[in-house]
Amino acid sequence: MAIVQQKAQCVLWFAEFESVVTVQHNFRWQYPRQRIPEQRAICCFHETGPVQKNQSPGRPRTSEEKVELLRLSCVRSPKNLELGIPKTTMQNVLHKRLRLYAYKIQLRHEIKSENRPNACNQSIPGMLNVHLIPHSHDDVGYRKTVDQYYYGVVTKNTPKGGVQYIIDTVTQELAKDPKKRFVQVETEFLWKWWQEENDEMRQLYRQLVDAGQIEIIGGGVVMNDEADTHYQTTIDQFSLGFRYSASPLLDEMLGECGRPRIGWQIDPFGHSKETASIMAQMGFDALFFARLDYEDKQNRIESKTMEMVWQANKNLGLSSDLFTSVLYNHYSFPTGFCNDISCSDDPFIDDKNSPDYNVDEKVTKFLDFIDDVAAAYSTDNILITMGQDFTYQSAHMNYKNMDKLIKYVNLLQKNNSNINVFYSTPSCYVKAIHDANQTWTTKSDDFFPYGNDPHSYWTGYFTSRPTNKRYERIGNNFLQVCKQLSVLSRVSDKSLLKKLSYLGNAMAILQHHDAITGTDTQDVADDYMRMLSVGIDKCEDIPTTAYNKMLSQESSETKTNLTMRSCLLLNISQCDISESSSEFLVTIYNPLARPTSHYVRLPVNGNNYVVTDYNGAQVPSQMIPVPQSVLDIPYRKSVATQELVFRAADIPPLGLQSYKVSLSENNSQGGSVTSNNHTISNGDVTVELDADLGTVKLISMNGIDLPLTQSIMYYNAFHGNDAEAANISSGAYIFRPTSEGVQKINDKVNVTVYKGNLIEEIHQVFNEWVSQVIRVYKQEKHIEFDWMVGPIPVDDGTGKEVISRFTTKLDSKGIFYTDANGREMQKRQRNYRPTWTWNISEPVAGNYYPTTTRILIKDEAKGLQFAILNDRSQGGSSLQDGEIELMVHRRVLKIQHYNEALNETAYGAGVIARGRHIVMVGNSSAQERLLVQRTLLAPWVFLTPGSGNPVQVKGLTNSLPENVHLLTLEPWEKGSILIRVEHIMENGEDPVMSQNITVDLKEILAPLAVKSFYETTIDGKMALQSMERLEWRTADNSRPHIHHNINNFSISLSPMQIRTFIVAVNHIAPSPTTAPSSGCSNIIRDNCLVLISLYISLKFNFAV
Ligand SMILES: [Zn+2]
């Protein structure tokens, strides 16, 4: 091991060269007989900035004792010495009193995982160890907005809950007693608090984290929903949360000890395999949650299988297995033990002379509860949640009574009680049960849908607030566009990057389980949409800057200063620029790493336009009428009655391609003609209507003729008194129709058919609040069903749940498939649960599943599959063989769960929702998966009024193969970038595209000149080689891990594999990229003293 001088030399070299390899190289020359320090050791020299940050005015208020203490500590080995002096004080003393100069490097002890138990209050072997977990469930918006919850605003129907006070008072209580524990979950709130606190409070908080008294669990910006979220946004929200909690760059907020190792999804309404898989790939040891089907839970309690190993992704094998523990008592305090300021349970009254003395009664009650819990679990450890929503605002009350609970229960040990109660954290509990070394059962399906009782299936929130769910997808689309363009154009302007992070944070907040789900109040939903709108608006500056920079990089002659703007009201065919300009430039950015083509549609006021591409060639275009139902939207502020349509072909990967559009006087342009024919076709794809009814009767594509009917219908929502399960109403969470029967809107549909050279459309009008456009585009092998529903009438006092139902004659044998958050397909069987016998009490709602991007049925005998892709999350099912239905909109009138009714209005009437279903028929999922990506990361259309020259700018020079998706490309720390690449197929899905594949990062990112890279966990914050997870024994441990092969710059990908890399590139900044050191395990760490010693050693020529 290197001696201190050698370490110091390493520090200096690392400061000078910023490269681990160079340090090792120099070390070899300078100290030829010494063992070269490993990369990990060198990487522990973190740059933290100078000791003395800012000159503060006036005399430092530091006592002479502290100065002397520090001086003395510098003349003897400070190792293992705890001074208990805040870092800022140390900085002052070092610089001002001892006249030492600023240093730049921090040396940290290597932290070993075996140190972990030090942070845990010890359990006692042979006893029943009861782990009390103090926690507070702090929704990032629900019945109050994010800020109202943080600051503690009183609003209608909500008490004065303030998260800032929770963190304040918990910190104070924990500082008084090293045995006390608390878990912090949502980093959105922690980050707010951190920014407002002074250095001393931050230092205290960090010490509590270091000591394992505060454990950061979950650690995302929010506790995300698992049904309506897409995996891309889930990964992003964790990645952003970890940057808050574990980033050494953000003012050393919490350092490595702040890195979460536990999933804590205690409130989301059902649980997806993809979320569990992502957690496994972040290095989590375990997941805890509360909500699962009531029948499933009862079975698990009886069979002692409340804990299991969840096989979260069959393609990824052991790599995505996650130990999963179901909480016994929801996430609440045991009944009678909520001694929070918000509760009314009696405190411990332990004065024996008091007539209210209640210790014996309370202890007995607690022991009864413990007995019940212990009977449901299989080790001699049980976990008891001591918390509820927004509890611990006055933490002293909670801890004082828990202290007494622990004291009086443990006192019974003198009388041979074997109950041992203590403060604990989920990590300590997990360590304890892991040590039990038993063989666990496994689970390979998911926890959807969540049934709370025989009539409460929480499947309504799969669709609630459909317009907000779509806006969230648009937000993600644009966020990825902005991230990519920031990298490609070498954006280094801090104000621009700040705008990017605003949108990133808004998107992360939207993943909260009361945000994207639509289970919030209207005011809060409006606030989420406000955040997203502000975020999109802020980010609009990035594409403009990027475009101009990228163009000037391509050629010095093409300097431009264009301003590009998005038209965000295209869903109602409204766009100021295209409607008011006789000439404008359309610039399309392709966020996929392969070329794509895209149909641009713009509302215009003229009749004829000429579209010219970057080669000066005229591009075919067509005019198509805006549907009458869109023209009739009362708040639409547009006089455009037609849309201009053209195909932007072969937009390069991550490239920009622009077109000039000019109003023309001549009549050469092809418009649409009204046709009496009831068939539309592009040559490959055909839709045939029933001439009498006006509804679809047959579709053809890929050489297959498929008889199909489709209609928009609704269920009447059940309105009960909610006093008991049988009378539960449909609401924002729960879907409960009055019966299995659907209400038809109309037997006959009014139809107009338009045909042209690029696009053919059927405009259907079902009635005054339901309409639809069915369309086929030339060269596209799918059909679009563009539905528009609303305002849903409720004058009859009945809520309505509107569906689009597709009926074929395919023999699907009760089986259908829905995606897990946009990734692995989940097999569903009608009227069946894989892990218990289901008593079917709600045959419609209980068969609904979350459909994030795709739902399909198969006819195995015919070798056919019929799939529907959607543009936002929806509830979906197949209630009859050959049938698929998706719920598109809902308006229900009963107030549920102390919330408002889900009765959305806008502009004084019920909300109108519009969206697309894409229909495909074929025999492979490959084309569906490619189209899902084109829907999710659609080319983004920017407009610039006035004249300009169309151009093409290539972002990447090489395309990725079709089965490899560039999931993320974003600016990262120290001028590096983060890249995620993904194999989009599952094993066996396609004979060609499901094969393993190798790609070369240097080639993909050729324009960025890759210098070096290292692989990380999926969140981007920990070197993959540092990831160590607990291994759990099951009967099925033979399944493989996936490999992470790297050969020079070539990386391999197996089906469903996502790999994340931090890449040092030449253009952005000179800093190198080195892997962060291994994660901490909540153990005591050195507090800067080693580095002080090191610095002083240097100053005094190693004389100390
Ligand atoms: Zn919640």
Side-chain angles (χ1 to χ4, degrees), residues 530-548:
R530 177 195 61 79
M531 277 184 227
L532 183 53
S533 170
V534 170
I536 290 175
D537 200 47
K538 280 178 186 280
C539 266
E540 285 260 83
D541 291 343
I542 292 174
T544 291
T545 307
Y547 175 84
N548 291 317

PDB file of all heavy atoms in Angstrom, residues 530-548:
ATOM      1  N   ARG A 530     -49.189  23.102 -15.568  1.00  0.00           N
ATOM      2  CA  ARG A 530     -48.490  24.399 -15.607  1.00  0.00           C
ATOM      3  C   ARG A 530     -46.977  24.177 -15.636  1.00  0.00           C
ATOM      4  O   ARG A 530     -46.256  24.736 -16.462  1.00  0.00           O
ATOM      5  CB  ARG A 530     -48.868  25.243 -14.386  1.00  0.00           C
ATOM      6  CG  ARG A 530     -48.142  26.583 -14.298  1.00  0.00           C
ATOM      7  CD  ARG A 530     -48.266  27.220 -12.913  1.00  0.00           C
ATOM      8  NE  ARG A 530     -47.705  26.407 -11.842  1.00  0.00           N
ATOM      9  CZ  ARG A 530     -46.400  26.322 -11.555  1.00  0.00           C
ATOM     10  NH1 ARG A 530     -45.532  27.014 -12.257  1.00  0.00           N
ATOM     11  NH2 ARG A 530     -45.976  25.548 -10.577  1.00  0.00           N
ATOM     12  N   MET A 531     -46.491  23.296 -14.725  1.00  0.00           N
ATOM     13  CA  MET A 531     -45.049  23.019 -14.678  1.00  0.00           C
ATOM     14  C   MET A 531     -44.548  22.497 -16.021  1.00  0.00           C
ATOM     15  O   MET A 531     -43.501  22.907 -16.515  1.00  0.00           O
ATOM     16  CB  MET A 531     -44.769  21.918 -13.647  1.00  0.00           C
ATOM     17  CG  MET A 531     -44.663  22.393 -12.239  1.00  0.00           C
ATOM     18  SD  MET A 531     -44.210  20.936 -11.256  1.00  0.00           S
ATOM     19  CE  MET A 531     -45.348  21.092  -9.947  1.00  0.00           C
ATOM     20  N   LEU A 532     -45.321  21.580 -16.593  1.00  0.00           N
ATOM     21  CA  LEU A 532     -44.892  20.987 -17.847  1.00  0.00           C
ATOM     22  C   LEU A 532     -44.873  22.029 -18.958  1.00  0.00           C
ATOM     23  O   LEU A 532     -43.930  22.098 -19.755  1.00  0.00           O
ATOM     24  CB  LEU A 532     -45.836  19.821 -18.208  1.00  0.00           C
ATOM     25  CG  LEU A 532     -45.495  19.034 -19.465  1.00  0.00           C
ATOM     26  CD1 LEU A 532     -44.061  18.534 -19.436  1.00  0.00           C
ATOM     27  CD2 LEU A 532     -46.453  17.855 -19.617  1.00  0.00           C
ATOM     28  N   SER A 533     -45.909  22.859 -18.970  1.00  0.00           N
ATOM     29  CA  SER A 533     -45.995  23.896 -19.991  1.00  0.00           C
ATOM     30  C   SER A 533     -44.817  24.871 -19.872  1.00  0.00           C
ATOM     31  O   SER A 533     -44.183  25.227 -20.867  1.00  0.00           O
ATOM     32  CB  SER A 533     -47.333  24.617 -19.828  1.00  0.00           C
ATOM     33  OG  SER A 533     -47.368  25.755 -20.624  1.00  0.00           O
ATOM     34  N   VAL A 534     -44.509  25.274 -18.631  1.00  0.00           N
ATOM     35  CA  VAL A 534     -43.373  26.189 -18.426  1.00  0.00           C
ATOM     36  C   VAL A 534     -42.080  25.501 -18.874  1.00  0.00           C
ATOM     37  O   VAL A 534     -41.221  26.094 -19.533  1.00  0.00           O
ATOM     38  CB  VAL A 534     -43.287  26.612 -16.936  1.00  0.00           C
ATOM     39  CG1 VAL A 534     -41.994  27.362 -16.661  1.00  0.00           C
ATOM     40  CG2 VAL A 534     -44.490  27.450 -16.552  1.00  0.00           C
ATOM     41  N   GLY A 535     -41.954  24.214 -18.543  1.00  0.00           N
ATOM     42  CA  GLY A 535     -40.741  23.461 -18.908  1.00  0.00           C
ATOM     43  C   GLY A 535     -40.559  23.376 -20.408  1.00  0.00           C
ATOM     44  O   GLY A 535     -39.462  23.611 -20.928  1.00  0.00           O
ATOM     45  N   ILE A 536     -41.642  23.069 -21.112  1.00  0.00           N
ATOM     46  CA  ILE A 536     -41.548  22.971 -22.579  1.00  0.00           C
ATOM     47  C   ILE A 536     -41.189  24.337 -23.148  1.00  0.00           C
ATOM     48  O   ILE A 536     -40.333  24.466 -24.018  1.00  0.00           O
ATOM     49  CB  ILE A 536     -42.878  22.439 -23.170  1.00  0.00           C
ATOM     50  CG1 ILE A 536     -43.052  20.962 -22.795  1.00  0.00           C
ATOM     51  CG2 ILE A 536     -42.909  22.618 -24.680  1.00  0.00           C
ATOM     52  CD1 ILE A 536     -44.382  20.354 -23.213  1.00  0.00           C
ATOM     53  N   ASP A 537     -41.820  25.359 -22.605  1.00  0.00           N
ATOM     54  CA  ASP A 537     -41.554  26.708 -23.082  1.00  0.00           C
ATOM     55  C   ASP A 537     -40.089  27.105 -22.873  1.00  0.00           C
ATOM     56  O   ASP A 537     -39.447  27.650 -23.757  1.00  0.00           O
ATOM     57  CB  ASP A 537     -42.490  27.665 -22.334  1.00  0.00           C
ATOM     58  CG  ASP A 537     -42.631  28.968 -23.069  1.00  0.00           C
ATOM     59  OD1 ASP A 537     -42.850  28.911 -24.291  1.00  0.00           O
ATOM     60  OD2 ASP A 537     -42.487  30.031 -22.434  1.00  0.00           O
ATOM     61  N   LYS A 538     -39.562  26.784 -21.698  1.00  0.00           N
ATOM     62  CA  LYS A 538     -38.160  27.124 -21.414  1.00  0.00           C
ATOM     63  C   LYS A 538     -37.239  26.407 -22.398  1.00  0.00           C
ATOM     64  O   LYS A 538     -36.279  26.981 -22.911  1.00  0.00           O
ATOM     65  CB  LYS A 538     -37.782  26.705 -19.988  1.00  0.00           C
ATOM     66  CG  LYS A 538     -38.251  27.676 -18.900  1.00  0.00           C
ATOM     67  CD  LYS A 538     -37.866  27.130 -17.525  1.00  0.00           C
ATOM     68  CE  LYS A 538     -38.427  27.957 -16.394  1.00  0.00           C
ATOM     69  NZ  LYS A 538     -37.675  29.170 -16.106  1.00  0.00           N
ATOM     70  N   CYS A 539     -37.528  25.129 -22.645  1.00  0.00           N
ATOM     71  CA  CYS A 539     -36.631  24.335 -23.486  1.00  0.00           C
ATOM     72  C   CYS A 539     -36.675  24.721 -24.951  1.00  0.00           C
ATOM     73  O   CYS A 539     -35.818  24.303 -25.722  1.00  0.00           O
ATOM     74  CB  CYS A 539     -36.953  22.842 -23.338  1.00  0.00           C
ATOM     75  SG  CYS A 539     -35.927  22.071 -22.108  1.00  0.00           S
ATOM     76  N   GLU A 540     -37.689  25.495 -25.329  1.00  0.00           N
ATOM     77  CA  GLU A 540     -37.789  25.876 -26.743  1.00  0.00           C
ATOM     78  C   GLU A 540     -36.538  26.607 -27.236  1.00  0.00           C
ATOM     79  O   GLU A 540     -36.253  26.623 -28.427  1.00  0.00           O
ATOM     80  CB  GLU A 540     -39.016  26.775 -26.948  1.00  0.00           C
ATOM     81  CG  GLU A 540     -40.328  26.038 -26.914  1.00  0.00           C
ATOM     82  CD  GLU A 540     -40.877  25.763 -28.306  1.00  0.00           C
ATOM     83  OE1 GLU A 540     -40.448  24.761 -28.902  1.00  0.00           O
ATOM     84  OE2 GLU A 540     -41.713  26.544 -28.782  1.00  0.00           O
ATOM     85  N   ASP A 541     -35.796  27.217 -26.318  1.00  0.00           N
ATOM     86  CA  ASP A 541     -34.592  27.944 -26.733  1.00  0.00           C
ATOM     87  C   ASP A 541     -33.470  27.004 -27.159  1.00  0.00           C
ATOM     88  O   ASP A 541     -32.562  27.408 -27.877  1.00  0.00           O
ATOM     89  CB  ASP A 541     -34.089  28.821 -25.578  1.00  0.00           C
ATOM     90  CG  ASP A 541     -35.046  29.969 -25.291  1.00  0.00           C
ATOM     91  OD1 ASP A 541     -35.889  30.247 -26.167  1.00  0.00           O
ATOM     92  OD2 ASP A 541     -34.956  30.556 -24.207  1.00  0.00           O
ATOM     93  N   ILE A 542     -33.518  25.766 -26.684  1.00  0.00           N
ATOM     94  CA  ILE A 542     -32.398  24.849 -26.978  1.00  0.00           C
ATOM     95  C   ILE A 542     -32.356  24.457 -28.457  1.00  0.00           C
ATOM     96  O   ILE A 542     -31.303  24.580 -29.088  1.00  0.00           O
ATOM     97  CB  ILE A 542     -32.453  23.623 -26.048  1.00  0.00           C
ATOM     98  CG1 ILE A 542     -32.142  24.078 -24.621  1.00  0.00           C
ATOM     99  CG2 ILE A 542     -31.472  22.539 -26.499  1.00  0.00           C
ATOM    100  CD1 ILE A 542     -32.302  23.010 -23.566  1.00  0.00           C
ATOM    101  N   PRO A 543     -33.471  24.001 -29.044  1.00  0.00           N
ATOM    102  CA  PRO A 543     -33.395  23.637 -30.462  1.00  0.00           C
ATOM    103  C   PRO A 543     -32.943  24.799 -31.352  1.00  0.00           C
ATOM    104  O   PRO A 543     -32.184  24.600 -32.291  1.00  0.00           O
ATOM    105  CB  PRO A 543     -34.831  23.223 -30.797  1.00  0.00           C
ATOM    106  CG  PRO A 543     -35.418  22.796 -29.505  1.00  0.00           C
ATOM    107  CD  PRO A 543     -34.785  23.666 -28.468  1.00  0.00           C
ATOM    108  N   THR A 544     -33.410  25.993 -31.048  1.00  0.00           N
ATOM    109  CA  THR A 544     -32.996  27.141 -31.858  1.00  0.00           C
ATOM    110  C   THR A 544     -31.490  27.333 -31.784  1.00  0.00           C
ATOM    111  O   THR A 544     -30.804  27.453 -32.800  1.00  0.00           O
ATOM    112  CB  THR A 544     -33.724  28.414 -31.352  1.00  0.00           C
ATOM    113  OG1 THR A 544     -35.102  28.282 -31.669  1.00  0.00           O
ATOM    114  CG2 THR A 544     -33.171  29.649 -32.001  1.00  0.00           C
ATOM    115  N   THR A 545     -30.960  27.341 -30.549  1.00  0.00           N
ATOM    116  CA  THR A 545     -29.510  27.500 -30.389  1.00  0.00           C
ATOM    117  C   THR A 545     -28.780  26.369 -31.083  1.00  0.00           C
ATOM    118  O   THR A 545     -27.777  26.574 -31.781  1.00  0.00           O
ATOM    119  CB  THR A 545     -29.158  27.492 -28.881  1.00  0.00           C
ATOM    120  OG1 THR A 545     -29.968  28.458 -28.238  1.00  0.00           O
ATOM    121  CG2 THR A 545     -27.695  27.804 -28.647  1.00  0.00           C
ATOM    122  N   ALA A 546     -29.296  25.149 -30.883  1.00  0.00           N
ATOM    123  CA  ALA A 546     -28.631  23.972 -31.439  1.00  0.00           C
ATOM    124  C   ALA A 546     -28.606  24.029 -32.956  1.00  0.00           C
ATOM    125  O   ALA A 546     -27.573  23.788 -33.584  1.00  0.00           O
ATOM    126  CB  ALA A 546     -29.354  22.713 -30.969  1.00  0.00           C
ATOM    127  N   TYR A 547     -29.753  24.362 -33.527  1.00  0.00           N
ATOM    128  CA  TYR A 547     -29.848  24.392 -34.985  1.00  0.00           C
ATOM    129  C   TYR A 547     -28.816  25.355 -35.558  1.00  0.00           C
ATOM    130  O   TYR A 547     -28.066  25.032 -36.481  1.00  0.00           O
ATOM    131  CB  TYR A 547     -31.264  24.827 -35.366  1.00  0.00           C
ATOM    132  CG  TYR A 547     -31.503  25.016 -36.840  1.00  0.00           C
ATOM    133  CD1 TYR A 547     -31.825  23.935 -37.652  1.00  0.00           C
ATOM    134  CD2 TYR A 547     -31.426  26.274 -37.420  1.00  0.00           C
ATOM    135  CE1 TYR A 547     -32.057  24.110 -39.010  1.00  0.00           C
ATOM    136  CE2 TYR A 547     -31.657  26.461 -38.775  1.00  0.00           C
ATOM    137  CZ  TYR A 547     -31.974  25.377 -39.565  1.00  0.00           C
ATOM    138  OH  TYR A 547     -32.204  25.561 -40.903  1.00  0.00           O
ATOM    139  N   ASN A 548     -28.769  26.557 -35.011  1.00  0.00           N
ATOM    140  CA  ASN A 548     -27.852  27.563 -35.544  1.00  0.00           C
ATOM    141  C   ASN A 548     -26.395  27.156 -35.346  1.00  0.00           C
ATOM    142  O   ASN A 548     -25.559  27.365 -36.216  1.00  0.00           O
ATOM    143  CB  ASN A 548     -28.145  28.925 -34.909  1.00  0.00           C
ATOM    144  CG  ASN A 548     -29.496  29.472 -35.374  1.00  0.00           C
ATOM    145  OD1 ASN A 548     -29.830  29.397 -36.553  1.00  0.00           O
ATOM    146  ND2 ASN A 548     -30.288  29.974 -34.444  1.00  0.00           N
TER     147      ASN A 548
END
